[in-house]
């Protein structure tokens, strides 16, 4: 390509070449806006070099299917956290709803069982929403208490026994956890569909703007006419609905359930949400970034397994990721991270 020349006062002048060298400000901006994607890419490259199986199509498809349950729950929890609250009851609710839908499958059929299971999950969401939204109780205390209550309810309902579907080959219930559509597993489709739908709800509707307003500055939101209690109540209904979808996937895939099948999910889900950049202080966050955060956790756990590390190592790494993510969140909020001032 010919170089452009500019005539100035009879002389030909060549425009000054733009300085493309990275500055400190540009590097900081890149880390602030694309840091999560960069970290994700580094994880993928590192594990791909360490294991030949890691980057295979089958392995990637397996990770997407395995993380569909965590991701589906994380979509709802992200909305709760953006609204300035927490939901630690999702793990126990997953156990209860999975036991419920599997147990009712053989008694009343898969269709009615699914309807009752969704109704039960939404009832729990209503209780959480009423206590946190209208009674203004602390969300950590409320959902922690709900976690214990639902654990007890699950044991009472099941009598301490595990449940299984007898005719596992002759029911359409297996579609939600075992079938494939267009090359992707149905659980992956459910996860991605919910992520897209609720991302649109958060970014394109007045309800989404109210969630960000309530989580970011509840006082200002109240002066603007936003009814905080209704918004918070709705976020817990969405969270419970997402847990019910995850229970549908889990029960269908396993065709049975243990009483404590959801134990520990609340921590993994919260790790994915925080890793995705959603602030525990409320008011900021993104469902697409939560999807990336969940996938990072999934690929880390998968990579550790392929490298031969024991299962409990995954929990240790997850704990480290949670602590690191919380520290990054708090440090960035206080302006002590990635600052451009000397």
């Amino acid at each position: 390509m010919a170089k452009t020349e500019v005539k100035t006062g009879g002389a030909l002048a060549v425009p000054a070449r733009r300085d493309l060298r990275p500055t400190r400000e540009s590097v900081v901006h890149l880390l602030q806006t694309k840091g999560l994607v960069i970290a994700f890419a580094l994880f993928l490259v590192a594990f791909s070099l360490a294991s030949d199986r890691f980057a295979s199509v089958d392995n990637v498809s397996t990770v997407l299917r395995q993380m569909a349950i965590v991701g589906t729950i994380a979509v709802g929890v992200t909305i709760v956290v953006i609204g300035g609250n927490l939901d630690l009851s999702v793990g126990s609710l997953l156990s209860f709803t999975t036991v419920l839908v599997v147990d009712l499958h053989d008694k009343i059929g898969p269709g009615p069982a699914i309807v009752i299971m969704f109704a039960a999950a939404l009832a729990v969401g209503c209780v959480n929403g009423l206590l946190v939204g209208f009674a203004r109780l602390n969300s950590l205390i409320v959902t922690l208490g709900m976690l214990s209550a639902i654990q007890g309810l699950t044991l009472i309902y099941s009598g301490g026994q595990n449940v299984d579907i007898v005719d596992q080959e002759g029911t359409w219930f297996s579609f939600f956890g075992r079938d494939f559509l267009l090359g992707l597993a149905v659980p992956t489709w459910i996860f991605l569909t919910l992520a897209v739908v609720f991302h649109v709800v958060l970014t394109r509707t007045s309800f989404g703007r109210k969630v960000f307003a309530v989580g970011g500055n509840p006082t200002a939101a109240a002066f603007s006419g936003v009814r905080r209690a209704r918004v918070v109540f709705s976020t817990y209904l969405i969270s419970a609905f997402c847990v019910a979808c995850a229970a549908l996937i889990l029960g269908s895939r396993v065709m049975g359930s243990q009483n404590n099948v959801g134990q520990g999910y609340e921590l993994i889900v919260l790790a994915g949400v925080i890793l995705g950049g959603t602030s525990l202080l409320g008011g900021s966050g993104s469902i697409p970034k939560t999807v990336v955060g969940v996938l990072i956790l999934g690929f880390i756990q998968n990579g550790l397994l392929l490298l031969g590390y024991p299962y409990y190592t995954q929990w240790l790494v997850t704990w480290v990721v949670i602590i690191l993510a919380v520290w990054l969140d708090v440090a960035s909020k206080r302006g002590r991270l990635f600052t451009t001032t000397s």
Side-chain angles (χ1 to χ4, degrees):
M1 180 180 294
K3 184 179 292 183
T4 304
E5 296 179 337
V6 179
K7 184 179 291 185
T8 57
L12 295 177
V14 178
R17 181 176 296 178
R18 184 181 178 184
D19 189 1
L20 299 178
R21 290 177 299 178
T23 62
R24 182 181 179 185
E25 288 75 12
S26 64
V27 173
V28 168
H29 178 72
L30 180 64
L31 291 174
Q32 288 176 330
T33 57
K34 306 295 182 186
L36 183 64
V37 177
I38 294 173
F40 188 31
L42 291 176
F43 275 124
L44 294 180
V45 171
F47 282 117
S48 298
L49 294 176
S51 173
D52 295 335
R53 294 173 52 196
F54 181 77
S56 65
V57 175
D58 289 341
N59 188 59
V60 172
S61 177
T62 299
V63 173
L64 290 175
R65 186 172 59 175
Q66 289 178 340
M67 297 308 293
I69 296 174
V70 174
T72 298
I73 301 174
V75 169
V77 173
T78 299
I79 297 176
V80 173
V81 175
I82 291 175
N85 297 294
L86 293 173
D87 190 353
L88 299 180
S89 64
V90 292
S92 292
L93 185 57
L94 178 65
S95 296
F96 176 67
T97 49
T98 305
V99 168
L100 184 65
V101 72
V102 170
D103 180 66
L104 293 179
H105 177 279
D106 287 345
K107 296 178 179 177
I108 60 176
I114 292 172
V115 172
I116 293 176
M117 183 267 291
F118 270 91
L122 291 176
V124 174
C126 282
V127 175
N128 282 334
L130 287 172
L131 294 176
V132 178
F134 289 93
R136 290 182 174 271
L137 300 182
N138 185 284
S139 63
L140 175 65
I141 303 301
V142 169
T143 57
L144 196 59
M146 185 62 76
L147 180 151
S148 299
I150 300 177
Q151 280 181 343
L153 180 62
T154 306
L155 291 173
I156 292 173
Y157 177 81
S158 65
Q161 303 295 319
N162 298 330
V163 293
D164 295 295
I165 294 176
V166 176
D167 186 11
Q168 299 187 4
E169 300 299 329
T171 174
W172 54 265
F173 185 69
S174 61
F175 168 80
F176 303 104
R178 298 185 177 185
D179 284 3
F180 287 79
L181 282 176
L182 303 176
L184 277 181
V186 172
T188 305
W189 281 113
I190 294 175
F191 165 38
L192 296 179
T193 300
L194 287 176
V196 171
V197 169
F198 284 113
H199 172 65
V200 172
V201 169
L202 272 181
T203 57
R204 296 288 188 270
T205 67
S206 61
F207 170 74
R209 290 189 289 272
K210 291 176 182 177
V211 173
F212 280 101
V214 167
N217 192 334
T219 303
F223 279 114
S224 301
V226 177
R227 297 183 177 181
R228 172 192 173 275
R230 291 187 179 183
V231 174
V232 172
F233 181 81
S234 301
T235 61
Y236 279 101
L237 283 183
I238 293 173
S239 178
F241 174 79
C242 290
V243 173
C245 292
L248 187 64
I249 296 172
L250 182 58
S252 174
R253 188 175 72 186
V254 182
M255 301 298 276
S257 181
Q258 299 176 349
N259 298 308
N260 60 349
V261 68
Q263 185 177 4
Y265 267 81
E266 58 276 353
L267 292 181
I268 302 175
V269 167
L270 200 55
V273 172
I274 298 172
L275 194 60
T278 298
S279 174
L280 285 177
L281 302 177
S284 66
S286 164
I287 288 180
K289 289 184 177 179
T290 292
V291 173
V292 176
V294 168
L295 293 180
I296 288 178
L297 286 177
F299 280 108
I300 288 176
Q301 294 176 352
N302 177 261
L304 292 174
L305 279 178
L306 292 178
L307 294 178
Y309 287 94
Y311 181 76
Y312 54 80
T313 304
Q314 300 176 19
W315 288 98
L316 178 61
V317 172
T318 302
W319 179 82
V320 172
V321 169
I322 292 174
I323 298 300
L324 181 61
V326 171
W327 176 77
L328 289 172
D329 176 50
V330 174
S332 61
K333 289 293 182 183
R334 293 177 178 175
R336 297 176 181 174
L337 188 69
F338 297 149
T339 178
T340 58
T341 57
S342 58

